[in-house]
Amino acid sequence: MSVSRNPQVVARLLLGASLIAVASPALAQDADQTDGSGLDEIVVSAQKREQNLQDVPIAISALSSAKVEQLGIKDSRDLSGLAPNVTIVQGTTSGASAVISIRGIPTPASETFGLDTANGLYVDGIYIGRSGASALDVMDIERVEVLRGPQGTLFGRNTTGGAIHFISRKPSETLRVKAEAGYGNYNAWNGRISVDPGSIMGIATSFSYSHRQRNGIVDNILQPDDSKDPGSRKSDAFRAAARIELGGTGSIQYIFDWSKISGSPTNFQLTNVSDGTFRAPIVIDGQPVVVTQQAPVKQYLAGATFAQPACAALAAPTRVWREEVCNDISSTSTDQIWGHNVQAENDFGPFKAKLTAGYRIWHNDSNSDLDGLGAFTGPQFTNASLFNGFPSALLQNLGFPVGTSNFLAGAAVPRVTQNLFDTNNKRRHKQFSTELEFSGDTDNLDWVVGGFYFWEKGSERNPQNSGFVLDTNAAVFSNTAFVGVLRGVGFPADLAAQYAPLLAPSFRATNPAQLRLVQTLATLNYSATSESTALYGQFTVYPGGRDSGLRITAGGRYTWDNKVMFRTQNGAAALATPETGEASFSKFTWNVMLGYDLADGISTYARAATGYRSGGFNAQDNALAGTTRLPSFKPENVLSFEAGVKTELFDRRLRLNVAGYHNIYKDLAVNIPLTNAPPGTFASVVGNAGKVKYTGIEVEAQAMLSDNFNIEGNFGYVDINYKEFMSGQSTTPGNPPINVASIVTPGYSSPFTANAALNMQFPLGMGEARLVGRVSYTYEDGKYSFSNDISTPFNTALKGDNRSIVDAQIGVDRIPLGGAEGELKLWVKNLTNSHDFVRGIDFGALGYAGGYYADPRTYGMSVGIRF
């Protein structure tokens, strides 16, 4: 299905075009333009060498340290909307997770270790292997580079959408101290200090510490401590770096970072419940497709008793954001992340060599309430109490003695206090990676070659407690099902078939509790190991010399992957024999780029590139029939075509970059129904059965209006057209899967994004003190959380809100304080206090759904000093 089938598309593109003059944070540009000489040059290292951003033939945005500080960026989630076609959605059960989408291609919403990301996240050259650890606190940032489009040559696998690279600053050779503190609503306060003692015995060092905390953003009426309400957060982070220069041509640098993030994740709010109405098959291209049937949760909750009367009113599902909630389980999450990074490099004259190695660990422990309800009590289903409360005479028809029948008739249906869904999780992950690269240049050639190795191991233990509302009149006392009941109490097969339609109606009519809750306890317990090795090279030729304006780049990378999964439990009981899976993949990825300078300050480029997301395992897939072998899926592949224009005009007072692209994505991993599942049941396995085409445009620009004002912004649009999505189960047993591409919706992607900002600065006549300010507007189309309504019936209802966010800040910086400088800033985020629904969870057959809202308006002030 093409998302361009929308009458608002043209209007949105016109809106985006109107922002060209104010387009994107071209982003590394500091708001500092006091010399009137035009916009500063932006230096990036996306091609393994330092280059002017305007000379790099790919779509890339960069944020300088000044911009990172100005925008208050603390982790990857703060980057959403700051580059075109880049959106980031918060995690669910972990405080350090995020779903990153670049050009319509999202990372998996699942945080399991069998699924790799589609967008790479890097910190100082180290690939962060898990999306659950992608929102780690990052300090002392020199710049952030956002690369859009597949980066399969220099960055490698799992960058089919693009890559985000955080690059930290080097320790200062001289004494440097910076400290800041702030306070805001929700009792939020933070402090950070960074100290560089200067070079001592030839070793420059840097030490940084930060602390952030706030209370929850909604009130759980069952939790008296505001610091434990949903949305509360407390984080501590420490970073130390040491660098030594070697003979003027080389250096060795070591970085240690540690962070701990704890609190109560954003509240899950119940938005939809099912009444159990039968859902007819969906007809797609003339073929009926089986759909998920939902439990009658609405009626069950209507008859349930809540432990706290105040919770009953808060149990009604609603899409309207609630300031008060009633959660009998206080959700918690604790993430600890630490890592070591070593970088050694040297310039040997004819070539340069650089070694980057890193070892990282991530621990996550969480406990989550995923129904948004307080404790409630209702009828429980058990086999032992199936006939409780039925008339004695009716039970005697089943052959029960009079005494037994009287006893059962007088026994009440048991009741249970049970949540619809709660879960806890224990994740452990460690990874090691190393990369050795060699590079050089001549009058007509730039080149880089290298090798890469990556290893990771993760384990997860995930107990789940769910309540399924069973309609016993349909599941037990229907005419068909009652045949089995009669067989169970001793009726011969022929008599059971004869008497079932005669007796079943009476049981349905006298059922003392038609709806009963089935408690299901299940645990997922597994470990996964992954190993990847790659060799790569890229060469740029300047046929007429570096001043000719023509450059041709070609590169390639060959990657070998090996993955192993070991599972000991996937249900109520541990497996008698562990289930295992092993898979190996290899892939060659390449890119070809052509750049040409049309005139001074105007360059064009064209690019063709490939990328792939590694194959793997879905930790919850059933083992292959009759074996203990886990099924695997193959890598996904993308072929991308891109063309763009990069300009700096009017004496570099306007920077305007435009890119258009077309991506062909094959072997998309989807849930494929099994054709050999038992009749009347549904089972699926993750396999490669999808094809998608992405076509988009991106515009970024920045303009200096005067020495006092500059404007910046961006917009991006992507049309996502699913061509093949073989996940439909035919209503005819044994028929092959059905292509449901025509009804597929793109998950976690905004077709249209836009951002615009006005920056201002005025000298105050006190040394270099300035009044500085910024007002920004960010727009993101609402996002789907799932791919269709077949297995997730509330998918359409759960589509996220279109987001229109206004942020503002004003302050004074460079305040002279003797030999130091001070600063004061007032800020507000989400000025209009928009309560936007941003992510949904559909529990399918369980019969309910809900989701998460973005933060309400937050505001505060900060003070700082540096020398």
Side-chain angles (χ1 to χ4, degrees):
M1 182 185 74
S2 170
V3 299
S4 65
R5 298 170 188 167
N6 187 321
Q8 297 178 332
V9 166
V10 174
R12 290 172 176 174
L13 289 176
L14 290 175
L15 169 64
S18 70
L19 293 173
I20 289 179
V22 295
S24 127
L27 285 163
Q29 173 60 31
D30 190 354
D32 253 16
Q33 296 111 11
T34 59
D35 60 4
S37 62
L39 299 170
D40 290 345
E41 180 180 286
I42 304 173
V43 176
V44 296
S45 57
Q47 301 290 293
K48 302 289 187 180
R49 64 181 66 244
E50 292 191 346
Q51 295 174 286
N52 184 336
L53 179 143
Q54 298 299 102
D55 294 334
V56 180
I58 61 173
I60 179 174
S61 303
L63 293 86
S64 69
S65 59
K67 185 65 66 176
V68 168
E69 183 177 332
Q70 180 190 30
L71 300 180
I73 293 172
K74 302 297 192 299
D75 57 49
S76 63
R77 291 172 295 189
D78 296 323
L79 299 175
S80 188
L82 293 179
N85 285 329
V86 176
T87 61
I88 302 174
V89 178
Q90 66 201 35
T92 55
T93 61
S94 167
S97 63
V99 178
I100 301 171
S101 176
I102 301 179
R103 290 186 169 179
I105 301 174
T107 57
S110 172
E111 296 158 13
T112 65
F113 294 116
L115 305 174
D116 283 0
T117 66
N119 300 294
L121 179 67
Y122 296 79
V123 177
D124 289 320
I126 300 300
Y127 171 65
I128 306 301
R130 293 293 110 199
S131 61
S134 60
L136 71 166
D137 273 335
V138 184
M139 295 189 295
D140 288 337
I141 296 302
E142 179 179 291
R143 67 180 181 276
V144 182
E145 298 179 2
V146 182
L147 292 73
R148 302 185 300 280
Q151 307 298 319
T153 299
L154 296 183
F155 285 85
R157 66 189 187 124
N158 302 335
T159 57
T160 51
I164 297 174
H165 193 184
F166 286 87
I167 302 166
S168 62
R169 68 175 181 85
K170 302 173 183 177
S172 174
E173 297 283 341
T174 59
L175 176 65
R176 177 186 182 274
V177 178
K178 180 181 178 183
E180 66 176 46
Y183 185 78
N185 60 333
Y186 298 108
N187 197 30
W189 63 274
N190 65 86
R192 183 176 67 176
I193 185 169
S194 178
V195 178
D196 292 30
S199 180
I200 300 175
M201 299 180 64
I203 302 176
T205 56
S206 175
F207 304 92
S208 302
Y209 170 76
S210 74
H211 175 86
R212 291 187 290 152
Q213 70 177 61
R214 74 172 186 186
N215 290 343
I217 55 176
V218 298
D219 179 27
N220 181 5
I221 63 175
L222 302 183
Q223 173 54 258
D225 188 345
D226 291 346
S227 68
K228 296 181 180 179
D229 274 337
S232 63
R233 180 183 174 103
K234 179 180 179 181
S235 68
D236 293 276
F238 173 77
R239 178 182 181 274
R243 181 182 181 87
I244 182 171
E245 300 293 334
L246 302 174
T249 62
S251 65
I252 298 176
Q253 178 172 276
Y254 167 76
I255 302 171
F256 170 78
D257 68 272
W258 172 89
S259 60
K260 181 179 180 181
I261 306 167
S262 59
S264 179
T266 304
N267 180 66
F268 174 89
Q269 182 173 314
L270 185 69
T271 60
N272 302 86
V273 294
S274 169
D275 61 5
T277 299
F278 174 77
R279 299 179 67 224
I282 297 177
V283 178
I284 302 175
D285 298 330
Q287 301 183 79
V289 175
V290 175
V291 298
T292 295
Q293 302 300 327
Q294 298 171 285
V297 173
K298 180 179 179 179
Q299 297 92 317
Y300 188 87
L301 290 179
T305 303
F306 285 83
Q308 297 82 13
C311 294
L314 295 174
T318 178
R319 181 64 180 255
V320 178
W321 179 75
R322 279 198 168 114
E323 191 172 5
E324 286 189 340
V325 298
C326 183
N327 292 337
D328 58 312
I329 297 176
S330 291
S331 298
T332 60
S333 176
T334 299
D335 292 89
Q336 292 192 72
I337 305 169
W338 62 98
H340 307 267
N341 179 302
V342 176
Q343 301 174 41
E345 55 187 319
N346 192 64
D347 186 345
F348 291 95
F351 66 92
K352 297 177 182 177
K354 182 177 181 180
L355 173 69
T356 303
Y359 180 74
R360 301 194 62 81
I361 297 175
W362 169 50
H363 289 176
N364 167 254
D365 296 276
S366 63
N367 180 39
S368 304
D369 183 337
L370 292 179
D371 60 13
L373 301 172
F376 61 88
T377 303
Q380 181 184 20
F381 176 85
T382 67
N383 287 321
S385 61
L386 179 62
F387 296 115
N388 285 17
F390 283 97
S392 176
L394 191 60
L395 294 175
Q396 291 176 44
N397 289 330
L398 300 183
F400 291 121
V402 173
T404 302
S405 297
N406 290 339
F407 174 80
L408 292 174
V413 175
R415 297 174 66 82
V416 63
T417 300
Q418 164 74 31
N419 291 311
L420 290 180
F421 200 96
D422 62 80
T423 181
N424 59 78
N425 214 310
K426 179 179 181 179
R427 299 185 182 98
R428 298 293 184 263
H429 179 259
K430 54 187 176 182
Q431 66 171 70
F432 170 77
S433 64
T434 184
E435 182 172 5
L436 178 63
E437 64 186 66
F438 299 92
S439 62
D441 55 72
T442 66
D443 293 340
N444 299 87
L445 177 68
D446 291 337
W447 61 272
V448 59
V449 297
F452 172 80
Y453 175 78
F454 176 83
W455 172 90
E456 68 172 334
K457 183 176 182 179
S459 63
E460 178 178 17
R461 187 177 188 279
N462 177 212
Q464 299 178 354
N465 174 23
S466 63
F468 177 75
V469 177
L470 182 70
D471 183 344
T472 56
N473 276 2
V476 180
F477 300 116
S478 68
N479 290 357
T480 301
F482 205 61
V483 173
V485 174
L486 294 180
R487 293 281 291 146
V489 296
F491 277 61
D494 56 340
L495 292 181
Q498 178 183 349
Y499 283 100
L502 301 176
L503 295 174
S506 298
F507 276 88
R508 292 196 295 270
T510 58
N511 194 340
Q514 177 180 342
L515 303 180
R516 309 186 192 190
L517 201 66
V518 181
Q519 183 186 42
T520 303
L521 299 175
T523 296
L524 176 65
N525 197 355
Y526 70 96
S527 64
T529 303
S530 174
E531 192 172 30
S532 180
T533 306
L535 297 173
Y536 63 85
Q538 180 167 291
F539 304 84
T540 299
V541 178
Y542 303 84
R546 292 182 180 271
D547 297 329
S548 69
L550 177 64
R551 47 200 174 274
I552 303 171
T553 300
R557 185 184 188 108
Y558 203 95
T559 304
W560 299 266
D561 289 341
N562 185 71
K563 297 196 169 188
V564 176
M565 179 168 283
F566 182 83
R567 189 168 69 192
T568 58
Q569 188 169 352
N570 187 32
L575 297 167
T577 303
E579 297 168 335
T580 62
E582 183 170 3
S584 296
F585 318 102
S586 61
K587 184 69 178 178
F588 177 73
T589 52
W590 53 267
N591 76 91
V592 177
M593 298 177 284
L594 174 67
Y596 184 69
D597 298 332
L598 295 176
D600 186 26
I602 304 177
S603 64
T604 63
Y605 71 90
R607 178 177 188 251
T610 62
Y612 88 103
R613 174 186 165 202
S614 183
F617 300 90
N618 178 17
Q620 292 181 306
D621 277 351
N622 292 325
L624 297 175
T627 75
T628 58
R629 186 160 57 92
L630 298 175
S632 64
F633 55 90
K634 299 182 299 183
E636 300 175 343
N637 299 281
V638 63
L639 171 61
S640 174
F641 301 95
E642 179 178 331
V645 178
K646 296 188 175 186
T647 66
E648 289 184 337
L649 307 171
F650 308 114
D651 295 325
R652 287 185 33 240
R653 300 184 72 84
L654 171 66
R655 180 179 290 125
L656 175 62
N657 296 339
V658 181
Y661 59 91
H662 179 70
N663 295 345
I664 303 171
Y665 210 103
K666 296 183 178 180
D667 299 319
L668 183 72
V670 302
N671 282 304
I672 302 173
L674 295 178
T675 58
N676 59 351
T681 68
F682 176 79
S684 67
V685 63
V686 173
N688 303 87
K691 180 179 180 180
V692 196
K693 292 184 177 181
Y694 303 83
T695 305
I697 185 172
E698 299 166 344
V699 177
E700 299 183 90
Q702 183 172 10
M704 287 183 61
L705 303 180
S706 68
D707 290 344
N708 304 116
F709 292 98
N710 73 75
I711 52 179
E712 59 187 37
N714 70 72
F715 82 86
Y717 175 76
V718 57
D719 175 74
I720 306 175
N721 191 343
Y722 284 86
K723 309 300 290 185
E724 187 175 87
F725 206 92
M726 307 299 295
S727 68
Q729 182 188 17
S730 173
T731 55
T732 303
N735 276 9
I738 296 172
N739 184 8
V740 300
S742 60
I743 66 165
V744 169
T745 54
Y748 299 102
S749 299
S750 295
F752 182 78
T753 64
N755 174 273
L758 172 66
N759 298 298
M760 67 93 173
Q761 59 179 30
F762 292 94
L764 295 178
M766 300 183 300
E768 295 186 1
R770 307 176 305 174
L771 176 68
V772 294
R774 174 183 173 92
V775 178
S776 67
Y777 169 79
T778 300
Y779 174 84
E780 297 177 3
D781 272 345
K783 306 170 186 66
Y784 289 98
S785 294
F786 298 93
S787 62
N788 56 66
D789 292 346
I790 296 173
S791 58
T792 49
F794 290 123
N795 178 50
T796 300
L798 289 175
K799 183 182 180 182
D801 296 325
N802 296 335
R803 301 205 67 199
S804 294
I805 303 300
V806 178
D807 297 339
Q809 57 181 258
I810 190 168
V812 179
D813 67 2
R814 299 182 181 178
I815 304 170
L817 299 173
E821 290 182 351
E823 60 184 17
L824 169 67
K825 180 168 68 176
L826 304 176
W827 57 269
V828 58
K829 294 185 177 183
N830 190 8
L831 179 64
T832 61
N833 200 28
S834 177
H835 299 300
D836 296 326
F837 187 84
V838 294
R839 182 172 182 179
I841 299 180
D842 189 332
F843 287 87
L846 292 183
Y848 77 99
Y852 301 85
Y853 289 79
D855 281 1
R857 177 171 52 226
T858 56
Y859 53 84
M861 65 172 293
S862 64
V863 294
I865 186 172
R866 69 180 74 193
F867 56 86

